[in-house]
Amino acid sequence: SCPEDAVPVPSASAVEEEEGEEEEDTIVESAAILCIILLLILLTVGFEEIKESIEENCPRKMEPMIESLFGEMTVLGFLSVFTFVISKTPIFTVLSAKIFGEGEEDQLLEIFEFVHYTLFFVMIFFVIQVLSLEKQGIETMAQWLEMDRACQDEDYMNAVR
């Protein structure tokens, strides 16, 4: 019989099975990382293509608005990186425990993430709004140019009088 304080030794097959599961987990994690990297690359290339298309098809008079849009996106990107870095440090845990008490270490981080996601959705709304206003501005400019050309046409002006 075994003494009570003896540590059971796993069998060789149990060790091999555990190593096989760890290897499988490593393969799955590697595949996930590869897929995430590919997705980020595709999103970046897609974003750049859309940005170039908007800049190339934008009338000169609308360029300041588009530059402002991408400037805001740059600032929000910086804030997003800052948020990510700061959320990975123990700052929130310590501050949350001091502000909300012991056992509430995640409360401040949850509030911070809520505000961060809210700002993200405000940015999405801002982008949609700016692009919509640009489209309306381009349409209005085209209408005004057409009316200006019509006003300069003598035949049209004689027909209207």
Side-chain angles (χ1 to χ4, degrees):
S1 164
C2 295
E4 289 181 17
D5 58 346
V7 177
V9 177
S11 67
S13 63
V15 171
E16 288 174 3
E17 185 177 312
E18 189 175 309
E19 288 175 354
E21 289 176 6
E22 287 177 10
E23 185 176 321
E24 188 175 312
D25 289 346
T26 303
I27 291 170
V28 171
E29 286 177 7
S30 297
I33 290 170
L34 180 63
C35 288
I36 290 170
I37 290 171
L38 289 174
L39 176 67
L40 291 175
I41 290 171
L42 287 174
L43 287 173
T44 302
V45 169
F47 176 80
E48 287 297 322
E49 290 292 323
I50 291 169
K51 180 182 174 190
E52 283 182 29
S53 173
I54 290 170
E55 289 174 341
E56 288 173 4
N57 296 319
C58 176
R60 255 182 31 155
K61 293 183 179 186
M62 295 295 204
E63 285 177 5
M65 190 165 77
I66 297 302
E67 287 173 12
S68 175
L69 167 71
F70 290 117
E72 289 295 323
M73 290 178 74
T74 301
V75 169
L76 289 171
F78 168 77
L79 289 176
S80 181
V81 169
F82 176 76
T83 300
F84 173 77
V85 169
I86 206 144
S87 69
K88 297 302 177 186
T89 64
I91 291 172
F92 282 108
T93 307
V94 172
L95 283 175
S96 188
K98 288 184 179 185
I99 294 171
F100 299 107
E102 294 298 320
E104 298 293 330
E105 287 84 9
D106 293 335
Q107 183 70 21
L108 189 60
L109 181 59
E110 289 175 14
I111 293 170
F112 192 81
E113 286 176 348
F114 173 77
V115 171
H116 179 240
Y117 288 126
T118 302
L119 284 174
F120 175 76
F121 288 116
V122 167
M123 182 204 66
I124 296 293
F125 178 73
F126 174 74
V127 168
I128 291 169
Q129 189 176 26
V130 166
L131 293 177
S132 173
L133 289 172
E134 180 203 16
K135 183 177 182 280
Q136 289 175 353
I138 290 170
E139 291 170 357
T140 301
M141 283 176 32
Q143 289 174 347
W144 287 357
L145 285 173
E146 182 60 35
M147 287 188 283
D148 187 49
R149 285 188 198 109
C151 289
Q152 293 175 13
D153 183 13
E154 286 185 39
D155 293 333
Y156 176 80
M157 291 306 293
N158 290 333
V160 172
R161 290 183 195 162

